């Protein structure tokens, strides 16, 4: 079979990154190799995001640019997947006639058949059927052998919460959890291929398994914690209303569970939280933060904020700023509210002007920037265990001390802060530093988005790394 190339363009969240990996995997038996060069592509898949208007506009602009390419290379196949595909269906082809395939969020398992049909019949297809539920993939021996140290693993799809601003329940469908055995097998296979950290993904991980009568999320975490060779576990996202006592305790009891939680608050005003249908109050949120910090004083807490929700008054907005000041998050993702198709808030009156939303966003970012910097600066002088992920973006640097070129590595603290470092004065032999190893680093400098450190004498190997299968220098 002649090699053909697929270029996958991923927009949006970690779920889409995970789905794009699955897309590449199911296309392999058709002879498609993944490429990062657009001009080599025989097939282009755009994996889209509908969460905010901006992401959707980004997608249409990218898709528009592909029209010229298709004119020059007439047998090129263009497919659109993900949340915008699910939301818009055939309307995408009405707008962009050069698109051959629109496939929804539940159609990845059917992709080989759809692409095969387009290759032989040169037809246009729309498949946005969601009735089949979660598709479980059969992983081949080498499916995960791509040198990565950290990977996402979806544990559930969809969402039943219907927050009034959110499109997810409409484009990802009802909440459905995967069986624990499938999740654990996938993680074991990842670990056998060099992965040392997994992030478990779901829109509301706390309700994992409840509908299906599977185990609780805390029990699933405990089972993942028992997997030999895995060093770290993260998860996202936990809805504040469902953050249970047993999950809180997991932060104390499970040694591999990282000291970081992403707990989106969205607003500090009870009136707005109510309009958002979030089903918790500011007081309940603060209570959960207090409990988390009592159990793990060193836990990092990050959050999401929406500014300019319909009807958000200046007083409501100030309550959000006050909450940010009170919690002092380690980091924040802040967004300007945008109307989404079907989402209830799109029908609310008293929309906030774009200029006002922009000003509120800037105030949130400025305030949080101050706390992020303070948190990072507080780490200077501390010793942190870093899971090395590979070379940093600035791969080669000059070590001023030795005047020798040195390799710059990157990794994260348990609290999810990026740390870059070089081998420096040689306390750790160069060949000992490889992606997937834990290295103990003293933090020397703090920047707004990262830290800089130096390896200290002892290398930290908290688990028996020598016994791991596939130990290799898997630098990304
Ligand atoms: N399931 C997660 C939760 O409940 O917090 C969030 C998932 S959503 C993919 C990520 C973030 O996008 C949300 O936390 C929210 O802050 C933001 N978001 C969602 N819909 C939005 C909208 N219509 N306008 C602006 N931001 C939005
Ligand atoms: Fe959207 Fe709310 Fe579900 Fe999160 S919990 S995905 S914000 S509906």
């Amino acid at each position: 079979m002649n090699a053909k190339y697929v270029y996958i363009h991923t927009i949006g969240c970690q779920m889409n990154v995970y789905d794009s990996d699955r897309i590449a995997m199911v296309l392999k038996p058709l002879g498609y190799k993944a490429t990062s060069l657009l001009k080599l592509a025989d097939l282009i898949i755009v994996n889209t995001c509908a969460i905010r208007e901006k992401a959707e506009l980004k997608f249409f602009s990218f898709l528009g640019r592909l029209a010229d390419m298709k004119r020059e290379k007439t047998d090129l196949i263009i497919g659109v997947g993900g949340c915008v595909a699910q939301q818009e269906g055939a309307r995408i082809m009405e707008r962009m006639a050069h698109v051959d395939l629109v496939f929804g969020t539940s159609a990845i398992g059917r992709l080989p058949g759809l692409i095969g049909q387009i290759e032989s019949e040169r037809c246009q297809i729309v498949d946005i059927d969601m009735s089949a539920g979660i598709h479980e993939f059969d992983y081949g021996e080498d499916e995960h052998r791509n040198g990565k140290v950290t990977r996402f693993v979806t544990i559930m799809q969809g969402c039943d919460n219907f927050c009034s601003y959110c499109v997810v329940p409409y484009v990802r469908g009802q909440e459905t959890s995967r069986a624990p055995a499938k999740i654990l097998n996938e993680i074991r296979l990842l670990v056998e291929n060099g992965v040392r950290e997994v992030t478990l993904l779901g829109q509301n991980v706390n309700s994992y398994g409840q509908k299906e009568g599977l185990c609780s999320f805390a029990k699933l975490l405990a089972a993942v914690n028992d997997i030999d060779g895995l060093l770290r576990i993260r998860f996202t996202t936990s809805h504040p209303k469902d953050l249970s006592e047993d999950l809180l305790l997991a932060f104390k009891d499970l040694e591999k569970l990282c000291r970081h939680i992403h707990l989106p608050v969205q607003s500090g005003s009870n009136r707005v939280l109510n309009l958002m249908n979030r089903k918790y109050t500011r007081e309940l949120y603060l209570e959960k933060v207090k409990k988390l910090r009592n159990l793990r004083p060193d836990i990092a807490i990050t959050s999401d904020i929406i500014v300019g929700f319909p009807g958000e008054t200046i007083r409501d907005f100030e309550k959000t700023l006050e909450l940010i000041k009170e919690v002092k998050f380690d980091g924040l993702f802040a967004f300007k509210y945008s109307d989404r198709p079907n989402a209830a808030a799109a029908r609310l009156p008293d929309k906030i002007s774009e200029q006002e939303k922009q000003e509120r966003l800037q105030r949130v970012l400025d305030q949080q920037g101050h706390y992020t910097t303070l948190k990072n600066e507080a780490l200077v002088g501390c010793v942190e265990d870093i899971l090395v992920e590979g070379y940093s973006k600035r791969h080669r640097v000059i070590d001023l001390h030795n005047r020798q070129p040195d390799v710059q590595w990157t990794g994260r603290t348990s609290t999810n802060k990026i740390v870059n470092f070089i081998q420096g004065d040689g306390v750790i032999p160069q060949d000992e530093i490889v992606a997937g190893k834990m290295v103990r680093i003293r933090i020397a400098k703090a920047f707004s988005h990262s830290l800089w450190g130096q390896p200290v004498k002892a290398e930290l190997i908290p688990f028996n790394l020598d016994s791991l299968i596939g130990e290799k220098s898997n630098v990304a």
Side-chain angles (χ1 to χ4, degrees), residues 392-445:
S392 80
K393 281 185 195 137
R394 281 188 61 210
H395 187 124
R396 291 211 159 260
V397 292
I398 302 292
D399 174 1
L400 289 177
H401 182 63
N402 290 319
R403 301 226 164 264
Q404 293 288 326
D406 207 339
V407 172
Q408 184 171 311
W409 297 91
T410 191
R412 276 166 204 266
T413 62
S414 171
T415 52
N416 208 30
K417 296 181 197 299
I418 296 169
V419 179
N420 298 312
F421 67 97
I422 53 174
Q423 184 215 9
D425 58 7
V427 284
I428 302 173
Q430 183 62 62
D431 57 2
E432 288 279 306
I433 302 178
V434 289
K437 281 223 172 177
M438 289 276 208
V439 176
R440 187 161 275 186
I441 302 278
R442 187 180 302 283
I443 306 300
K445 277 187 203 153

Side-chain angles (χ1 to χ4, degrees), residues 42-90:
D42 302 289
L43 167 63
I44 299 174
I45 301 279
V46 194
N47 196 4
T48 61
C49 171
I51 199 78
R52 283 169 294 276
E53 198 184 6
K54 202 169 153 193
E56 209 175 309
L57 294 175
K58 222 162 109 184
F59 148 66
F60 277 111
S61 124
F62 177 76
L63 201 56
R65 292 201 300 274
L66 297 182
D68 285 344
M69 208 173 147
K70 176 104 180 191
R71 268 192 287 276
E72 280 166 28
K73 196 174 180 178
T74 46
D75 54 355
L76 174 70
I77 299 175
I78 299 179
V80 176
C83 296
V84 182
Q86 190 66 51
Q87 179 186 289
E88 298 297 315

Side-chain angles (χ1 to χ4, degrees), residues 75-273:
D75 54 355
L76 174 70
I77 299 175
I78 299 179
V80 176
C83 296
V84 182
Q86 190 66 51
Q87 179 186 289
E88 298 297 315
R91 285 194 292 269
I92 293 178
M93 281 166 181
E94 286 161 18
R95 223 170 129 176
M96 304 264 171
H98 56 290
V99 171
D100 301 284
L101 171 67
V102 174
F103 62 103
T105 49
S106 294
I108 298 175
R110 298 190 290 274
L111 204 51
L114 299 170
I115 296 290
Q117 195 182 340
I118 294 171
E119 281 180 337
S120 57
E121 297 172 22
R122 290 287 144 188
C123 52
Q124 284 183 310
I125 305 179
V126 177
D127 178 351
I128 53 170
D129 181 16
M130 288 178 109
S131 57
I134 289 189
H135 178 93
E136 284 295 343
F137 296 91
D138 290 326
Y139 297 103
E141 273 288 292
D142 63 348
E143 286 316 342
H144 299 296
R145 199 157 293 166
N146 64 2
K148 288 195 183 142
V149 165
T150 63
R151 290 291 287 269
F152 299 122
V153 175
T154 289
I155 62 164
M156 59 206 293
Q157 283 181 359
C159 184
D160 293 341
N161 281 317
F162 292 92
C163 300
S164 65
Y165 51 81
C166 186
V167 78
V168 169
Y170 306 97
V171 292
R172 291 262 171 193
Q174 287 180 359
E175 187 181 285
T176 319
S177 298
R178 293 176 69 197
K182 300 276 183 196
I183 298 166
L184 295 172
N185 280 343
E186 186 176 334
I187 298 173
R188 279 191 205 103
L189 203 60
L190 287 168
V191 171
E192 283 172 17
N193 285 284
V195 169
R196 298 290 174 261
E197 175 185 303
V198 288
T199 303
L200 308 181
L201 296 178
Q203 294 298 350
N204 181 13
V205 290
N206 258 83
S207 55
Y208 169 81
Q210 279 174 16
K211 256 164 85 173
E212 295 85 356
L214 304 170
C215 69
S216 69
F217 180 57
K219 285 226 168 71
L220 178 72
L221 276 178
V224 177
N225 194 68
D226 284 343
I227 293 178
D228 280 343
L230 184 70
L231 299 184
R232 284 180 166 180
I233 309 166
R234 302 184 187 275
F235 63 81
T236 192
T237 304
S238 182
H239 194 304
K241 78 176 161 64
D242 296 321
L243 180 56
S244 60
E245 291 295 321
D246 56 351
L247 183 55
L248 289 170
L249 285 173
F251 280 104
K252 190 163 77 66
D253 297 338
L254 303 180
E255 76 279 9
K256 296 181 189 174
L257 184 60
C258 288
R259 302 182 326 266
H260 169 227
I261 186 166
H262 185 65
L263 198 60
V265 63
Q266 313 297 0
S267 170
S269 153
N270 283 338
R271 200 182 68 82
V272 173
L273 286 173

Side-chain angles (χ1 to χ4, degrees), residues 14-34:
Q14 300 100 324
M15 295 263 179
N16 273 10
V17 174
Y18 182 83
D19 285 349
S20 289
D21 279 355
R22 308 270 108 24
I23 290 171
M25 197 175 102
V26 298
L27 290 172
K28 266 192 202 168
L30 294 187
Y32 283 101
K33 285 186 184 166

Side-chain angles (χ1 to χ4, degrees), residues 234-448:
R234 302 184 187 275
F235 63 81
T236 192
T237 304
S238 182
H239 194 304
K241 78 176 161 64
D242 296 321
L243 180 56
S244 60
E245 291 295 321
D246 56 351
L247 183 55
L248 289 170
L249 285 173
F251 280 104
K252 190 163 77 66
D253 297 338
L254 303 180
E255 76 279 9
K256 296 181 189 174
L257 184 60
C258 288
R259 302 182 326 266
H260 169 227
I261 186 166
H262 185 65
L263 198 60
V265 63
Q266 313 297 0
S267 170
S269 153
N270 283 338
R271 200 182 68 82
V272 173
L273 286 173
N274 189 35
L275 286 172
M276 287 177 164
N277 193 30
R278 287 292 284 180
K279 301 194 179 83
Y280 55 83
T281 58
R282 167 199 181 94
E283 292 73 25
L284 189 99
Y285 185 88
L286 291 172
E287 179 67 31
K288 302 238 166 161
V289 167
K290 197 165 152 197
K291 279 189 181 166
L292 273 165
R293 286 186 170 149
N294 281 343
L295 281 166
R296 288 242 43 158
D298 53 353
I299 196 164
I301 304 178
T302 55
S303 197
D304 291 346
I305 298 275
I306 296 178
V307 299
F309 186 82
E312 182 189 67
T313 62
I314 285 292
R315 185 64 204 120
D316 291 321
F317 174 64
E318 281 169 356
K319 284 185 178 162
T320 299
L321 292 179
E322 283 160 18
L323 182 132
I324 296 170
K325 192 170 168 194
E326 192 166 342
V327 178
K328 297 185 181 57
F329 292 107
D330 288 70
L332 264 188
F333 296 99
F335 309 105
K336 289 185 280 183
Y337 167 82
S338 63
D339 279 345
R340 298 286 66 215
N342 298 316
R347 297 186 291 277
L348 286 178
D350 305 325
K351 296 279 158 45
I352 309 295
S353 74
E354 196 51 35
Q355 189 190 343
E356 183 63 29
K357 282 194 276 191
Q358 185 57 42
E359 279 171 23
R360 291 183 192 183
L361 180 72
Q362 200 51 52
R363 284 182 68 188
V364 166
L365 295 177
D366 289 347
Q367 177 160 332
Q368 180 55 40
H370 170 70
Y371 294 120
T372 306
T373 305
L374 284 183
K375 294 254 172 186
N376 284 354
E377 282 172 0
L379 287 173
V380 173
C382 297
V383 171
E384 290 280 336
D385 301 335
I386 308 302
L387 176 65
V388 183
E389 291 176 19
Y391 297 140
S392 80
K393 281 185 195 137
R394 281 188 61 210
H395 187 124
R396 291 211 159 260
V397 292
I398 302 292
D399 174 1
L400 289 177
H401 182 63
N402 290 319
R403 301 226 164 264
Q404 293 288 326
D406 207 339
V407 172
Q408 184 171 311
W409 297 91
T410 191
R412 276 166 204 266
T413 62
S414 171
T415 52
N416 208 30
K417 296 181 197 299
I418 296 169
V419 179
N420 298 312
F421 67 97
I422 53 174
Q423 184 215 9
D425 58 7
V427 284
I428 302 173
Q430 183 62 62
D431 57 2
E432 288 279 306
I433 302 178
V434 289
K437 281 223 172 177
M438 289 276 208
V439 176
R440 187 161 275 186
I441 302 278
R442 187 180 302 283
I443 306 300
K445 277 187 203 153
F447 305 104
S448 47

